[in-house]
């Protein structure tokens, strides 16, 4: 039986994921998700190829997915917030 995580649990997982990303992955992820910037513009801004931007974004998504899927520590589930 699969239980959907609460909104708080998802926010904690998101914070955990962002903290596990490298600064470059975090910047690429947040820039592409929040601002309307293309891969090419972001690559030009950082002076790297589009492939490196795609790789950093993919790695950031994988980190975030792992954090959402992993169970929280037992003591965290006891806290109401």
């Amino acid at each position: 039986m699969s239980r959907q995580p609460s909104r708080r649990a998802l926010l904690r997982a998101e914070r955990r994921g962002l903290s596990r990303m490298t600064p470059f992955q975090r910047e690429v992820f947040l820039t592409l998700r929040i601002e309307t910037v293309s891969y090419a513009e972001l690559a030009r801004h950082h002076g790297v190829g589009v492939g490196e931007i795609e790789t950093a974004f993919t790695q950031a998504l994988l980190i975030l997915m792992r954090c959402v899927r992993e169970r929280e520590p037992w003591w965290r589930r006891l806290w109401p917030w």
Side-chain angles (χ1 to χ4, degrees):
M1 183 168 155
S2 160
R3 242 184 96 205
Q4 291 292 330
S6 69
R7 184 168 173 81
R8 280 190 188 139
L10 286 174
L11 288 173
R12 283 192 300 262
E14 181 180 307
R15 277 190 227 112
R16 239 183 0 258
L18 287 171
S19 70
R20 291 180 186 178
M21 293 177 197
T22 65
F24 181 66
Q25 290 169 340
R26 189 177 315 115
E27 185 175 346
V28 167
F29 176 77
L30 292 174
T31 303
L32 289 172
R33 297 309 308 156
I34 295 172
E35 299 176 18
T36 54
V37 176
S38 70
Y39 287 98
E41 290 172 326
L42 194 56
R44 195 169 36 255
H45 173 75
H46 285 285
V48 296
V50 174
E52 290 181 58
I53 298 295
E54 291 173 345
T55 301
F57 185 63
T58 303
Q59 290 170 343
L61 285 175
L62 289 172
I63 290 168
L64 199 57
M65 283 179 20
R66 276 189 222 115
C67 287
V68 168
R69 286 183 180 170
E70 73 186 16
R71 288 188 64 166
E72 290 187 296
W74 65 268
W75 53 268
R76 171 60 81 187
R77 292 189 298 267
L78 295 176
W79 292 94
W81 56 88

